[in-house]
Amino acid sequence: MKKAYDYLIVGSGLFGSTFAYLAKKAGKKCLVIDKRPQLGGNLYCEKIEGINVHKYGAHIFHTSNKEVWNFVNSIVDFNRYTNNPVANYKGELYNLPFNMNTFNRLWGVKTPAEAQAKIDEQKSEAIKALDGHEPQNLEEQAFTLVGKDIFEKLIKEYTEKQWGRKCTELPAFIIRRLPVRFVFDNNYFNDKYQGIPVGGYNKLIESLLNGIETLVSVDFFTSEYKDWMKYAKNLVYTGAIDEYFGYSLGKLDWRTVSFKTRVEDTPNYQGNAIVNYTSHDRPYTRVIEHKHFEMFGQEVYDYPKTIVSEEYSTEFQDGMEPYYPVNDERNNRLAEEYRILARKEENVIFGGRLGEYKYYDMAPIIEQVLKMYKK
Ligand code: FAD
Ligand code: UDP
């Protein structure tokens, strides 16, 4: 029997959509299905009061890979958004990531040499205590990177809220990805390129999927497409890897976030897209004001209202959206066992953050699909 499609693609997130776009370019016929009522996976934005609201978490595209940047810019234009989050510690405001603005506000230091001397003093005790050993956990790592004041005001309680565990129980590497800079530079990322698609992420997804057959509100496992071989030569699966195998080896754990979103009757609520709340006096980790991702200058005031979302970090339970893989021994081992099973599946490609049980930013997802395309 002739099959209708070259690829049945489960999931219309960035992985599935980019794959479909490139497959179509190579002359292949695809069908993309998604169990959500809309396309785009976690990039999907909902329009409220004329503002694109990042429904599944704030997304900022950033990369140093020129090929990836050229690729996404060939699909849509990107704006000049640069991520400059601010931290609010019990009403005191500090710039992030840790840089000369932060050090000046904390200690009044004005030059890089003064800041370096202050940090050296702050971390000297911790380094002595380690006695030549590598930091064993996030707390030890933070103390040796930036010292006590920054740890206490900007790291400790935020991290506890985000991960639901003490800093002494978390791996050191989590904190290593935050830049520490002795320049007045509030750009959160070190990458060469960053921005938000002009017109929002839905535009990016719509352009990628232009001319491709799609179905929403269709769950692979409860639909006719479970027998995908009847319809397609290959399957691209970007859902959760343990679900694909019927949880036969056990369930993988996830961390999740949830959002409380409201309309504020003011054009400019907090003056920034992201404000982190770094103490326990607020139960949420951060507040997102969505319009600042796409509106600059006067445009902010052209819209009389604004949309804000409080972000809460939540322990995962059945029925919730899986967001972040949990990096502990049990889950790493279990995921690897599932990946071994996955490699044995014929004509099935597992991809994306759920399909591989790996935390991927958007740019590495595109990089990976581009590599597959070249192959
Ligand atoms: P997803 O977007 O999750 O897409 C998977 C799709 O598969 C979903 O639409 C789902 O409904 C569908 N699906 C699953 N199971 C089934 C099924 N059984 N049947 C049918 N459909 C199914 N990256 C950045 O680069 N910058 C950021 O600022 C950034 N911020 C983030 C913030 C948060 C809170 C999170 C969680 C992630 C963030 N990311 C960010 C990462 C980014 O979200 C991922 O790189 C991207 O979403 C991965 O795309 P994906 O296609 O693998 O997964
Ligand atoms: N972090 C922190 N204070 C902040 C922001 C981040 O202590 O204001 C820590 C926290 O432990 C977090 C890690 O730095 O898990 C990495 O931050 P990033 O913003 O990269 O994490 P994301 O929110 O993207 O997962």
Side-chain angles (χ1 to χ4, degrees), residues 336-352:
E336 190 46 36
E337 286 170 22
Y338 277 122
R339 281 185 218 115
I340 291 168
L341 289 184
R343 273 180 232 125
K344 292 183 188 150
E345 288 288 284
E346 275 180 36
N347 303 322
V348 184
I349 294 169
F350 289 79

Side-chain angles (χ1 to χ4, degrees), residues 176-192:
R176 280 202 290 267
R177 65 176 192 239
L178 280 189
V180 180
R181 300 194 187 115
F182 293 90
V183 285
F184 292 91
D185 178 2
N186 298 327
N187 184 346
Y188 202 62
F189 302 117
N190 283 322
D191 279 324
K192 226 170 171 175

Side-chain angles (χ1 to χ4, degrees), residues 61-66 68-69 72 191-194 363-364 367:
F61 197 95
H62 59 97
T63 183
S64 290
N65 182 323
K66 197 164 186 194
V68 167
W69 186 240
V72 289
D191 279 324
K192 226 170 171 175
Y193 315 105
Q194 71 180 293
E367 199 177 324

